[in-house]
Amino acid sequence: MATTFKTITANDTTNTRTLLHEAIPLTGTIASGTYSDENIKTFSHGMFESVYDYPYLSSSANHIFDITHGYSANSTLSSSAAIQNAKKINIYNQMAAVLVGHDATGSIQAFDQDGDIAGGGTKSEEVFFFNFSRLLTKDEIKKDSFRLTLATGSVSGDLKGFPLTLGDYGAASSYLVNSPAGEYGVLYTSSATPDPASGVGLIYYQAGVAVVSASVFNGTMPGAEATASILGPGYNSSSYSNLATGSSIQVLADSIRDRIDNITFNNTVELNSTVYFCRANNNEFNYSSNPTYLSSSQIRVKNTTSDNPVSYITTVGLYSSDNELLAVAKLSEPLKKDPNTELTIRVRLDY
Amino acid sequence: MAFLDNSGDIILDAVLTDTGRLRLAKGDGSFNITKFALGDDEINYELYDKNHPSGSAYFDIEILQSPVLEAFTNNTSTLKSRLLSVSRTNLLYLPEIRNNAADGIAENSTNGIVSVAVDQSTVDALKDADGNLLAGIIDSAELDRNTTDKRRLLFDQGIVSNALGAIGKVALDADLVETQYIVEIDNRLGYLADPTTGAQATPSFIDDDNIASYYLSLTTNSSYFSSATLTESSVISGPAGYRLSLLVGGSTNLNSSTYLFTQLGSTSQITPISTAVDLYHIDTTIRVTGATTGFRVDIPIRFLKQQ
């Protein structure tokens, strides 16, 4: 029986899972400087600000991350006199509820310095949040790839002085899984000090959120200036604590944005694929229904009946049982098919 | 649509078609790949040079250099010609599907295309001095009035050459006889109808581009097929299969409104007797594909409506 289709059996398909990684470099000049802050979108509610890769009024702009700041109601900085005190607490609680979760009594748990929530220990009660766009993080941030370099010294002189690089060093083999938002790792100031007690933040891989403790600006970090200030230009006499209580979230976000030197990470895309093995045996697909294949019904590529038929494959079509074309694959060059050849064409569909 | 880079290893550029995405989005299990076909749309077999002076290795040198386009996502724009599996390798002739305009409806002499008058006023306006609808036009107002083959689309299958023997004298190989056809038509414009009764056929499915596919089978749609394999035909001179007969009707959209005519069509005139009739028209194509051999024929057709 002549036919133009061949059935795909269970032995002709397989499923695979592939992780693809892209390197995402974000230079500090995107966060501050390149576009005179026209790529920084602020909001009247003042809860956070957004960083774009181009002036955000342009349709070409892509949202890359948000910055905000919060502290716990238990923080020593929390005071009714503090500017936007309630909003800073609300931000902290909102992010903690999502990323850390609730305890047995339903209370929101605080960010833990080493991630050992059950074991108690030091809590990070004043933090900055970097919420990266899904456009950048895709399915998740690759473990042990996140690096954030901040200038932690005073602003006078070199704005980018005393840089500290925070990273999830060693996280590929030592990440944590006790968050309701997925896996996360601890940020350290150096690959030489991946001691949980020296953690200065947390990086949530699937959520795409970096939580950076304000302690990086207290002047005690290795390599930091003793009289540290987080502030950007015009605020260089203030310490973090003065700023946290005396300024709005937007000012805090502006300040730390001006101190970003570099952010790099690798994102991850999880590709689930179905591979269809399209097998053409020696006695299959040797003729064609191409309008040019025949001349007055005679096959052009044959002179006599003893000549082998020949066809040329450029396309593979995957069909449903009711003959609807569901997927199509093109070869980059024609592939010769005759009775002396057998082919297996591997078509992969990614989802 | 760009060409694929063919400077290195053979690569495969695979995409879901629009219909594939639609079915995937439905989530009802209709996205289920069960079979494959191979195509050669870009290949021009006229470039195969059986007499190349340098020998057989050079017969297909030009074919193998044909650039290949990226994949189209439109399901009706690709795999128009499929490769055919026949276990025998000694075939020298293959049957074709030909529109038989000599025995069936031919192009209207004025507009040069087979036409369909979509309503009664158009039919009345396009009658000749004897009161008959002009030749080359199907009466869609009442399809059962198209009682002769001269008002029907006829498609004959067989070998055009008589090198294997004359029609009616030598039988076409049974495995090459088409007993099922797929007919595609723009569902916004028209529909298929039974050639004997004029009854509207039901499409097997309508895709996301409004292309309706009708599956016509010898066993379940016998009224569309000749009662036996052909013994005479104006377009087939060798071993032959069956004749497929079709009627085409204008859709309700075209019958009751000029909207699609103004959106998709144009205007023209036909002079049936002495006075020109102003008409709206839309040109489209009907595709008839043999389900067994994959050979196909495209027939341009024009829907007419009096202004």
Side-chain angles (χ1 to χ4, degrees):
Chain A
M1 182 67 181
T3 181
T4 57
F5 293 109
K6 185 171 183 183
T7 301
I8 294 173
T9 67
N11 292 330
D12 298 325
T13 63
T14 186
N15 296 305
T16 63
R17 178 173 168 268
T18 311
L19 298 180
L20 292 181
H21 302 293
E22 295 173 304
I24 306 294
L26 299 172
T27 59
T29 53
I30 288 180
S32 60
T34 299
Y35 297 110
S36 303
D37 284 359
E38 290 178 5
N39 64 322
I40 310 301
K41 188 174 185 180
T42 57
F43 301 89
S44 58
H45 53 64
M47 300 284 275
F48 66 91
E49 67 181 26
S50 299
V51 179
Y52 288 73
D53 63 354
Y54 198 66
Y56 64 84
L57 290 176
S58 165
S59 59
S60 303
N62 295 301
H63 178 210
I64 51 177
F65 65 94
D66 298 319
I67 307 175
T68 186
H69 170 267
Y71 50 61
S72 162
N74 298 325
S75 166
T76 56
L77 301 179
S78 174
S79 151
S80 60
I83 292 176
Q84 286 192 323
N85 185 58
K87 286 190 175 182
K88 291 168 185 169
I89 294 172
N90 289 348
I91 285 286
Y92 186 93
N93 286 340
Q94 179 186 345
M95 297 299 287
V98 172
L99 300 175
V100 188
H102 301 79
D103 63 15
T105 67
S107 301
I108 296 171
Q109 302 186 108
F111 289 98
D112 197 275
Q113 184 189 27
D114 60 5
D116 184 6
I117 300 168
T122 306
K123 303 298 179 187
S124 298
E125 295 188 319
E126 300 89 21
V127 290
F128 291 92
F129 298 101
F130 295 85
N131 298 24
F132 294 97
S133 160
R134 197 174 64 230
L135 178 72
L136 299 190
T137 63
K138 301 290 178 65
D139 290 334
E140 63 179 272
I141 294 170
K142 184 184 177 189
K143 298 174 186 72
D144 198 8
S145 73
F146 184 83
R147 303 290 181 267
L148 165 63
T149 303
L150 291 171
T152 59
S154 61
V155 177
S156 56
D158 183 4
L159 175 66
K160 303 300 182 190
F162 296 95
L164 271 183
T165 297
L166 317 184
D168 58 340
Y169 301 103
S173 57
S174 64
Y175 56 89
L176 298 147
V177 294
N178 58 346
S179 162
E183 298 157 348
Y184 68 104
V186 179
L187 297 177
Y188 304 102
T189 55
S190 161
S191 59
T193 59
D195 167 13
S198 64
V200 290
L202 304 168
I203 174 73
Y204 290 84
Y205 298 112
Q206 285 86 29
V209 177
V211 181
V212 176
S213 169
S215 65
V216 296
F217 297 105
N218 68 7
T220 62
M221 291 294 136
E225 189 180 41
T227 56
S229 166
I230 76 159
L231 297 175
Y235 299 93
N236 56 357
S237 62
S238 294
S239 65
Y240 162 73
S241 58
N242 287 341
L243 189 69
T245 55
S247 301
S248 64
I249 292 173
Q250 183 185 322
V251 170
L252 281 150
D254 282 343
S255 300
I256 197 165
R257 180 168 55 78
D258 284 342
R259 310 311 300 276
I260 295 172
D261 186 53
N262 202 24
I263 302 174
T264 62
F265 59 86
N266 289 356
N267 68 21
T268 302
V269 178
E270 184 178 320
L271 285 179
N272 291 296
S273 310
T274 303
V275 178
Y276 297 90
F277 295 98
C278 300
R279 308 181 204 275
N281 294 329
N282 65 82
N283 60 349
E284 295 172 331
F285 302 109
N286 294 322
Y287 296 92
S288 172
S289 62
N290 188 305
T292 64
Y293 194 67
L294 303 178
S295 173
S296 296
S297 293
Q298 184 180 348
I299 299 170
R300 283 185 193 274
V301 297
K302 297 181 73 169
N303 281 321
T304 65
T305 55
S306 58
D307 290 343
N308 272 335
V310 181
S311 63
Y312 298 87
I313 304 165
T314 65
T315 313
V316 183
L318 301 178
Y319 286 83
S320 63
S321 56
D322 55 356
N323 293 342
E324 274 286 86
L325 182 61
L326 301 181
V328 61
K330 302 289 287 197
L331 295 163
S332 57
E333 61 188 62
L335 207 54
K336 185 177 183 177
K337 178 72 186 75
D338 63 28
N340 296 320
T341 55
E342 292 199 344
L343 300 169
T344 298
I345 301 172
R346 186 176 176 272
V347 181
R348 193 181 83 180
L349 295 181
D350 297 331
Y351 301 96
Chain B
M1 201 60 65
F3 290 120
L4 293 168
D5 182 354
N6 57 5
S7 60
D9 293 339
I10 295 178
I11 58 167
L12 207 58
D13 168 42
V15 293
L16 292 179
T17 63
D18 46 5
T19 299
R21 293 199 303 269
L22 177 72
R23 291 195 174 194
L24 204 55
K26 282 181 178 175
D28 58 0
S30 59
F31 184 88
N32 185 21
I33 292 170
T34 62
K35 54 189 173 183
F36 75 93
L38 304 177
D40 60 358
D41 291 354
E42 288 91 347
I43 302 301
N44 178 4
Y45 286 91
E46 293 175 359
L47 298 176
Y48 194 88
D49 183 1
K50 291 180 288 191
N51 302 311
H52 197 287
S54 299
S56 59
Y58 293 84
F59 287 179
D60 58 3
I61 192 79
E62 289 196 63
I63 287 179
L64 290 172
Q65 291 173 347
S66 301
V68 179
L69 292 163
E70 290 177 317
F72 291 97
T73 57
N74 186 349
N75 62 312
T76 57
S77 302
T78 194
L79 272 155
K80 293 193 290 289
S81 61
R82 298 194 293 262
L83 301 190
L84 175 64
S85 295
V86 182
S87 56
R88 288 164 288 145
T89 61
N90 61 351
L91 293 176
L92 189 58
Y93 292 85
L94 285 173
E96 302 178 53
I97 299 166
R98 290 284 178 96
N99 174 34
N100 189 342
D103 299 327
I105 191 167
E107 294 87 355
N108 175 264
S109 58
T110 305
N111 60 18
I113 187 170
V114 173
S115 303
V116 178
V118 300
D119 57 20
Q120 187 60 51
S121 65
T122 309
V123 171
D124 292 340
L126 295 177
K127 286 182 175 173
D128 61 18
D130 296 328
N132 298 319
L133 182 62
L134 296 174
I137 300 175
I138 296 173
D139 180 349
S140 172
E142 291 186 38
L143 281 166
D144 57 358
R145 289 193 295 224
N146 300 283
T147 53
T148 69
D149 275 347
K150 286 294 183 185
R151 297 286 180 197
R152 297 174 186 142
L153 289 165
L154 302 184
F155 301 92
D156 293 352
Q157 192 223 0
I159 292 174
V160 173
S161 162
N162 61 5
L164 298 180
I167 185 170
K169 305 297 183 188
V170 178
L172 184 63
D173 292 345
D175 62 345
L176 296 176
V177 173
E178 288 289 356
T179 57
Q180 189 179 32
Y181 285 90
I182 303 162
V183 183
E184 295 164 279
I185 184 173
D186 190 325
N187 195 56
R188 295 169 300 177
L189 308 180
Y191 58 87
L192 291 196
D194 188 303
T196 56
T197 65
Q200 185 171 347
T202 304
S204 299
F205 59 82
I206 302 167
D207 77 2
D208 59 301
D209 302 311
N210 273 313
I211 303 298
S213 294
Y214 296 78
Y215 279 69
L216 303 175
S217 164
L218 176 65
T219 52
T220 55
N221 308 96
S222 58
S223 57
Y224 291 80
F225 288 79
S226 56
S227 57
T229 55
L230 295 172
T231 55
E232 57 182 40
S233 166
S234 298
V235 293
I236 302 292
S237 50
Y242 291 91
R243 169 173 291 169
L244 178 73
S245 305
L246 299 175
L247 279 177
V248 177
S251 69
T252 305
N253 290 330
L254 300 191
N255 186 301
S256 59
S257 162
T258 60
Y259 176 75
L260 287 175
F261 283 103
T262 55
Q263 290 290 311
L264 308 175
S266 184
T267 59
S268 56
Q269 288 185 327
I270 290 179
T271 307
I273 306 174
S274 58
T275 306
V277 177
D278 293 323
L279 298 161
Y280 292 110
H281 73 250
I282 300 177
D283 291 341
T284 185
T285 302
I286 295 176
R287 172 172 295 171
V288 178
T289 306
T292 301
T293 62
F295 282 97
R296 72 179 197 280
V297 58
D298 290 346
I299 300 298
I301 196 163
R302 174 172 288 186
F303 290 95
L304 301 174
K305 186 179 180 70
Q306 186 184 23
Q307 289 188 32

